[in-house]
Amino acid sequence: MDIATARRIDDIAAAARSIGRPVRLMEVCGTHTVSIFRSGIRSLLPANVGLVSGPGCPVCVTAQRDIDAAIELACREGVIVCTYGDMMRVPGRVGSLERQRAEGADIRVVGSSRAALAVARSSPANEVVMIAVGFETTTPATAAVILEAEREGVENFSVLAVHKLVIPAMSTLLEDDDVQLDGFLCPGHVSVIIGSDAYRTIVDRYNIPCVIAGFEPPSILDGLARLMNQIERTESKLKNAYPTAVTPKGNRVAQRLVDSVFEVADAPWRALGVIPQSGLAVRTEYSHFDALSRFQLTIGEDEDHPACLCGQVIQGKVTPDACTLFGTTCTPLKPYGPCMVSTEGTCSAWFKYNVPRRIPPAPVSESGP
Amino acid sequence: MNPAAKPQPNDDVIVRAHGGGGEMMGRLISDHIVSALGNQTLNALTDGAVLPCNGKHIVMTTDSYVVQPLEFPGGDIGRLAVCGTVNDLAVMGGRPIGLSLGLIIEEGFRLDRLDRILDSIAKAAREASVEIVTGDTKVIENVRGDGLFINTAGVAELDERARLGFDQIRPGDAILINGNLGDHGIAIMSVRDGLEFETTLRSDAAPLNAMIGDLLSSGVAIRFMRDATRGGLAGVLADISDRAGFGIELSELALPRDPHTRAAAEMLGFDLLAVANEGKVLLVVADSDAERCVDIMREHDTGRRSARIGRVVASNPPLVELVTEHGGRRIVQRPYGEELPRIC
Amino acid sequence: MCLAVPGRIVSVAGDTASVDFHGNRMEICTLLTPEASTDDWVLVHAGFAITVIDEAAARETWSYLEAAGTTDSADSEDVHGYRHGPAH
């Protein structure tokens, strides 16, 4: 490890000693969660510094009812569903997109919404629907292809838009008296779009330190050190530890694009319920690109496993091992809750990188490609 | 009628991940195939079967190839079909004697394309110094559009000096790999629909029998070998730790990885430890012979970037642990199955 | 929440750019970064450039790759080196 990183770890340890009590910091973003686990950062932190994983994984927070709608679309005659790979295995009430593909549904994994639009162009006889998940970083890509489809008159393209907003989710957490947090490590790439000023309301209203950080382990440690430093001095400020990419106002072009296509709306979050003004709906002038109205989909209700604690895990109220399903009935192989499905889901990350296997190992052997 | 008329539960049919070389496939093999067909030889679940024959032993293996697309940077389905089976024989300590070639071809398949793939088979067989000695050809209706599926089986003479098996592995043994991780899996992704990117990366598909043969004849103490194909290095290490009952400690800094492959893996959101290889063998060797093994492997083109990447440890429970390049520690789990590109 | 990696723009045609990610080239949409031009470094998420970043920062993110591949048979005990991790 280099000197700067070692110094950061020392800074965190010194602050932790001086604070003297347990400190709970939330990394809002699932990509931070993965980077923290992959790099083993937890093993480098003092015992009284706890990292809590927040609601920043689009796979985890997409409501079951929305997954069900995607699955229903995939079941329709002549429909091609395009999705980011992340969503393939997320369980709906019954089955998953992966399961529907096995059943013969035409489901394509794409790396970009533009690739979905390309599928629509090359399959004029089919309806092509992009399952548009994600936070503020991903939303502009959805808005951009809707405008492109409009411009080019691509008639057979639509999106099932289930985009989420991060600031309302953070506010909701802080309104809950059961959630005890000392600081937020804020998502770097969402912040590229929304700008650092977007967190002012959180810092001002709730008096909690917020630090925006990048995703390389040194940058994460830097962010954590800056949070600890504020807590030590009982300050609550907004700091930008990722200034190479994040500006105060964010990407205005992207913001305008999103505003022109979407409007803020109430949205259902998996295991959290409906959070007011926390999602985006396609504006009526673009409703022909909105799969909801185009296919007259009716969105049902969620029926989560009664013992699943994903809701509380996402809010940082409990760690995954508090759930009776974790590692026993709920594993990455057969996930019940969304936090186990996504690679960046808290439960999956715990299972994959941190916690010993609890299921008996399966003998595996294979050969060839 | 649309075959996908209504949503289906998750666990009653085969999904692609069942073929991904991870946890899903392990369950399929143990719960269905072994439970129906198990016997002492099959239950060992190794890359090939070692069978007695006139006071000596032969090794037998078979493998089917369904890769899409059929041709990709650095190889094609034909090259894979030769290398995969040769390598399965070699890691069992076998010197390949002959291969069979089963072709299942969809009607409409272009003959010039078939010729190209057959040429590639011939070239790979020459590299591996093995011949295709028998075969079978079937034509089926046009299902996929450009369908060609290949099965190869192989027979080898066992090098009787080889003492290989999970039960030979001891704490303190060294873990070696013969080169860069993940090149094959990433090269395949670069030509997948919806994800294409241009790259100088090439699949690492190559026959390893010459290199492995040199290792065996040098008399170094090799405990175990396996080619790290689907499921990548993580899959093989999980098998070793489960079956040998020991932990494994890997050093991330020691892992040989091509910078371009690493960059592409970051782009796609892949963990290179779980990405497929087609010319990589993972070896467990006695610590005292580790450097000699690396030297021998480096004399071969297929082993130029060989490295010692970890060691077997007596940990309880037996886990595969990675010491990260940042000095932290994390557990490496068996991959689930198919790696999917992600945005998160 | 969102994987994003830095790449360098090799060429631009309309709102599409060919972006190089350490030897891998991908077609990327530049609608969100209309100011981006050839030789600029951009941060790319889901096929879209989301911001222009300065070269030094981008190279720093990839710096671990420059050093990678040079470690020969390192022993597990010899792990002292440090390199930057990937951007997500």
Side-chain angles (χ1 to χ4, degrees):
Chain A
M1 144 185 351
D2 71 343
I3 294 164
T5 303
R7 192 171 295 149
R8 276 322 192 187
I9 293 168
D10 288 348
D11 291 348
I12 293 170
R17 272 195 303 277
S18 149
I19 296 164
R21 61 173 175 85
V23 175
R24 285 160 59 83
L25 307 175
M26 175 176 275
E27 85 272 5
V28 179
C29 168
T31 307
H32 272 148
T33 306
V34 172
S35 189
I36 285 166
F37 277 108
R38 266 199 191 175
S39 56
I41 281 179
R42 270 168 207 260
S43 67
L44 302 173
L45 296 179
N48 65 325
V49 178
L51 294 182
V52 182
S53 307
C57 154
V59 172
C60 304
V61 300
T62 300
Q64 192 184 44
R65 62 193 83 169
D66 292 327
I67 305 292
D68 290 338
I71 292 172
E72 194 200 322
L73 277 172
C75 289
R76 296 206 184 181
E77 184 82 53
V79 172
I80 299 172
V81 164
C82 293
T83 176
Y84 298 122
D86 314 53
M87 299 305 290
M88 280 300 279
R89 292 172 43 225
V90 187
R93 206 168 32 192
V94 187
S96 61
L97 289 171
E98 179 184 55
R99 175 64 171 86
Q100 275 338 108
R101 185 176 66 177
E103 206 58 36
D106 194 341
I107 298 170
R108 318 237 179 127
V109 173
V110 293
S112 162
S113 53
R114 266 205 162 172
L117 188 60
V119 171
R121 282 198 203 94
S122 60
S123 314
N126 294 92
E127 281 287 329
V128 174
V129 185
M130 173 76 199
I131 309 300
V133 296
F135 285 86
E136 287 91 335
T137 328
T138 320
T139 313
T142 310
V145 284
I146 287 177
L147 293 173
E148 189 172 344
E150 164 103 336
R151 227 169 28 240
E152 298 194 3
V154 182
E155 294 291 335
N156 61 330
F157 178 77
S158 58
V159 304
L160 181 65
V162 291
H163 290 296
K164 302 282 188 287
L165 303 173
V166 74
I167 302 287
M170 290 168 72
S171 305
T172 302
L173 284 176
L174 293 169
E175 294 287 345
D176 187 333
D177 292 338
D178 293 340
V179 177
Q180 296 295 329
L181 294 173
D182 296 296
F184 280 118
L185 191 71
C186 298
H189 293 148
V190 160
S191 307
V192 166
I193 303 294
I194 66 176
S196 55
D197 285 353
Y199 301 94
R200 290 249 173 252
T201 57
I202 299 283
V203 174
D204 293 347
R205 188 182 309 162
Y206 301 100
N207 205 29
I208 186 167
C210 285
V211 175
I212 299 165
F215 295 88
E216 299 108 90
S219 180
I220 291 173
L221 284 168
D222 186 34
L224 294 175
R226 293 197 199 199
L227 280 172
M228 292 297 288
N229 182 267
Q230 288 197 50
I231 296 162
E232 189 181 4
R233 302 172 184 206
T234 59
E235 291 175 354
S236 293
K237 290 182 178 164
L238 170 64
K239 300 271 183 192
N240 180 3
Y242 195 27
T244 50
V246 177
T247 59
K249 300 293 175 201
N251 183 332
R252 296 290 192 95
V253 175
Q255 292 166 12
R256 275 197 299 273
L257 214 59
V258 169
D259 283 346
S260 66
V261 175
F262 292 104
E263 57 194 345
V264 175
D266 298 351
W269 293 54
R270 189 151 197 169
L272 295 181
V274 173
I275 300 179
Q277 306 290 291
S278 67
L280 294 169
V282 179
R283 288 186 185 274
T284 43
E285 52 265 50
Y286 295 104
S287 61
H288 46 298
F289 293 111
D290 183 356
L292 276 182
S293 53
R294 190 178 184 110
F295 295 94
Q296 297 180 341
L297 287 174
T298 42
I299 301 291
E301 292 293 320
D302 291 8
E303 285 175 25
D304 286 314
H305 192 293
C308 174
L309 294 188
C310 276
Q312 294 186 47
V313 169
I314 290 169
Q315 296 174 75
K317 290 181 182 174
V318 299
T319 49
D321 53 346
C323 178
T324 54
L325 303 179
F326 177 75
T328 51
T329 26
C330 181
T331 65
L333 185 63
K334 194 165 190 297
Y336 276 98
C339 300
M340 187 61 90
V341 174
S342 165
T343 8
E344 60 169 332
T346 309
C347 294
S348 171
W350 267 66
F351 189 89
K352 193 168 180 213
Y353 297 128
N354 203 34
V355 183
R357 270 168 282 188
R358 299 184 181 188
I359 48 167
V364 171
S365 169
E366 45 77 31
S367 49
Chain B
M1 198 187 91
N2 184 344
K6 77 186 218 309
Q8 299 291 335
N10 248 337
D11 51 4
D12 63 340
V13 299
I14 297 291
V15 295
R16 279 183 217 181
H18 278 118
E23 189 91 34
M24 292 282 276
M25 194 163 84
R27 296 290 163 120
L28 175 68
I29 292 171
S30 62
D31 298 354
H32 296 273
I33 298 174
V34 172
S35 72
L37 307 172
N39 57 58
Q40 207 185 335
T41 312
L42 181 64
N43 293 358
L45 292 176
T46 43
D47 287 301
V50 176
L51 302 169
C53 180
N54 288 336
K56 290 184 157 184
H57 292 86
I58 59 165
V59 185
M60 180 182 169
T61 193
T62 184
D63 214 330
S64 299
Y65 299 84
V66 297
V67 65
Q68 268 289 69
L70 299 177
E71 293 163 290
F72 47 82
D76 58 30
I77 189 171
R79 183 169 178 81
L80 285 189
V82 173
C83 299
T85 295
V86 164
N87 292 344
D88 282 346
L89 294 170
V91 298
M92 294 300 296
R95 281 189 298 266
I97 301 167
L99 299 188
S100 73
L101 176 71
L103 297 170
I104 299 170
I105 314 167
E106 282 186 4
E107 63 180 342
F109 196 83
R110 291 195 57 90
L111 264 174
D112 55 351
R113 200 162 182 213
L114 182 65
D115 285 336
R116 216 159 52 225
I117 289 166
L118 289 170
D119 283 345
S120 165
I121 289 175
K123 180 170 173 288
R126 276 197 303 277
E127 279 175 51
S129 307
V130 66
E131 289 179 325
I132 309 294
V133 293
T134 183
D136 175 57
T137 306
K138 295 282 188 295
V139 176
I140 59 171
E141 70 272 35
N142 189 330
V143 189
R144 200 159 73 175
D146 70 338
L148 171 67
F149 310 93
I150 299 181
N151 174 275
T152 50
V155 177
E157 181 187 1
L158 182 69
D159 185 327
E160 300 287 343
R161 289 167 297 190
R163 290 281 173 278
L164 304 170
F166 292 116
D167 56 352
Q168 302 291 317
I169 297 172
R170 297 285 176 271
D173 286 349
I175 309 277
L176 315 179
I177 188 94
N178 64 314
N180 292 338
L181 296 178
D183 291 356
H184 175 74
I186 300 289
I188 293 272
M189 291 313 299
S190 76
V191 286
R192 281 273 160 88
D193 279 347
L195 303 163
E196 302 94 333
F197 58 95
E198 267 181 64
T199 180
T200 51
L201 277 176
R202 294 287 172 266
S203 164
D204 61 346
L208 303 175
N209 53 323
M211 184 184 76
I212 291 173
D214 275 2
L215 282 170
L216 287 172
S217 51
S218 74
V220 290
I222 302 177
R223 320 283 203 206
F224 180 82
M225 292 183 277
R226 176 162 284 177
D227 53 337
T229 56
R230 279 170 306 175
L233 191 63
V236 178
L237 292 172
D239 283 354
I240 293 176
S241 120
D242 286 350
R243 302 287 300 282
F246 298 118
I248 288 166
E249 192 179 270
L250 280 185
S251 153
E252 189 169 31
L253 277 176
L255 297 176
R257 291 171 290 181
D258 180 283
H260 302 105
T261 311
R262 290 188 76 176
E266 292 303 333
M267 242 164 58
L268 296 166
F270 282 10
D271 181 353
L272 273 188
L273 286 173
V275 175
N277 310 281
E278 286 297 339
K280 291 296 163 307
V281 56
L282 180 126
L283 302 99
V284 184
V285 305
D287 181 69
S288 53
D289 280 349
E291 294 312 316
R292 213 172 132 215
C293 286
V294 169
D295 289 344
I296 293 169
M297 295 198 293
R298 285 186 180 175
E299 283 166 21
H300 290 261
D301 282 343
T302 50
R304 294 269 178 252
R305 299 197 31 77
S306 294
R308 174 180 180 139
I309 58 172
R311 60 180 178 174
V312 178
V313 292
S315 63
N316 193 21
L319 293 168
V320 182
E321 265 200 291
L322 179 77
V323 178
T324 72
E325 48 199 344
H326 307 283
R329 297 178 81 87
R330 69 155 163 111
I331 288 167
V332 178
Q333 293 278 10
R334 182 188 299 287
Y336 159 83
E338 185 188 26
E339 280 280 292
L340 293 171
R342 55 193 182 91
I343 58 156
C344 314
Chain C
M1 188 164 270
C2 315
L3 275 170
V5 289
R8 190 179 57 86
I9 296 181
V10 179
S11 61
V12 183
D15 55 18
T16 302
S18 174
V19 176
D20 181 272
F21 302 91
H22 210 93
N24 306 290
R25 280 188 191 180
M26 209 176 234
E27 298 288 297
I28 295 301
C29 180
T30 55
L31 273 171
L32 310 179
T33 54
E35 74 277 23
S37 59
T38 303
D39 284 338
D40 279 348
W41 286 78
V42 285
L43 202 53
V44 174
H45 167 74
F48 282 72
I50 57 171
T51 191
V52 176
I53 54 173
D54 74 58
E55 178 170 351
R59 286 194 184 277
E60 173 136 340
T61 305
W62 287 127
S63 65
Y64 71 99
L65 294 178
E66 309 296 343
T70 55
T71 353
D72 285 343
S73 132
D75 207 278
S76 312
E77 283 87 354
D78 296 336
V79 182
H80 303 298
Y82 164 76
R83 282 161 205 154
H84 287 283
H88 290 274

